[in-house]
Amino acid sequence: MSKREIAGMRVLVTGASTGIGRALAVELVRQGACCVVLARGEERLSEAVEACRTVDPEARVEVIVGDVTDVAVRKAAIEKAVTSFGGLDAVVNNAGVGSFGRFADAKPERLRHIMEVNFFAAVDLIHEALPALRQGKNPIVVNVGSILGHRGIPRMYEYCSSKFALQGFSQSLRVELQAEGIDLLMVSPGTTETPFYDNVVHGRGNVPWNKGKGTPVEKVAKKMVAGMQQGRREIVPNFLGQWLIRANRHVPHLVDWYLQRFA
Ligand SMILES: NC(=O)c1ccc[n+]([C@@H]2O[C@H](COP(=O)([O-])OP(=O)(O)OC[C@H]3O[C@@H](n4cnc5c(N)ncnc54)[C@H](OP(=O)(O)O)[C@@H]3O)[C@@H](O)[C@H]2O)c1
């Protein structure tokens, strides 16, 4: 894992129309990177580009509107970086969705949908981007997981499964990519102030532990960019998230006991 300059980097960010992805694009642009931003919401993406131009009126930002599970959309985003910026140095797999509800009442299609967006699209995008990344300057893959990729919680089994899968895949891939000089940063946020819980595909408004305020999204974005810069393996940007991971390592039965109230 190596240190890198953010200025001049050519970065593809998925799920950049709102939340963490949008804040990340703004922070990258502030520090002199060029970005291809991808998401389904055209209007929301335009607002994200506006936000980038607020911090740098000359910002080089290209837009790809589409679903990250669509291979043509992913390939168009890679192509856009190559044709507009002359190459690709970083892929940020940030697009993600959640769902809320008990396993016994769940529809299997929901698990498949969430795995497609949160896991398979990220795996496929990395595979498709590898040839461009190999030609990139100090290349890096950034996978946005979650603290729920370290510790499963009740009523979010689809989401937890997808984030554990992404974590396992990332650990395996990091070692393989090291030989090629490509870094892999895992980002495992805890609750962050974004519309994430309003966008869940099932069970909106039903999330009992989401009463408190999350970490400000700009703070998470700054930590992500610092993690890319410093060549970190993984960052857990929220204090409570770090606490949960530690508690689960040392006293998992107490964490089970605490989470029972949400089951
Ligand atoms: N907020 C939290 O507390 C938290 C905690 C841990 C981890 N995370 C992770 O952080 C990442 C970003 O989430 P967020 O909190 O910023 O939530 P968010 O504001 O809802 O952002 C999700 C982003 O993903 C995009 N997206 C969703 N489905 C997509 C699809 N099929 N194709 C393309 N883009 C898609 C959305 O854009 P469109 O709807 O316009 O397509 C949006 O830009 C996710 O991977 C999430 O799991 C969030």
Side-chain angles (χ1 to χ4, degrees), residues 178-201:
Q178 254 164 14
E180 303 200 49
I182 303 174
D183 286 350
L184 191 150
L185 168 67
M186 187 76 198
V187 179
S188 298
T191 304
T192 306
E193 276 177 5
T194 74
F196 178 82
Y197 283 102
D198 300 327
N199 294 337
V200 291
V201 296

Side-chain angles (χ1 to χ4, degrees), residues 97 99 103 110-112 114-116 118-120 146 148-153 155-169:
V97 279
S99 177
F103 171 69
R110 238 162 50 206
L111 173 61
R112 287 199 159 67
I114 287 176
M115 291 298 288
E116 286 294 342
N118 295 6
F119 179 65
F120 288 114
S146 168
L148 302 185
H150 285 272
R151 165 73 216 198
I153 61 171
R155 300 201 199 193
M156 284 194 84
Y157 87 96
E158 296 109 335
Y159 183 75
C160 295
S161 303
S162 72
K163 294 299 183 178
F164 264 78
L166 191 63
Q167 173 70 257
F169 165 67

Side-chain angles (χ1 to χ4, degrees), residues 15-21 38-41 44 66-69 94-97 117-118 144-147 159 163 189-192 194-197 199:
S17 61
T18 57
I20 293 174
L38 181 158
R40 295 162 305 173
R44 294 189 292 271
D67 195 310
V68 76
T69 62
N94 167 75
V97 279
V117 179
N118 295 6
V144 180
S146 168
I147 52 162
Y159 183 75
K163 294 299 183 178
T191 304
T192 306
T194 74
F196 178 82
Y197 283 102
N199 294 337

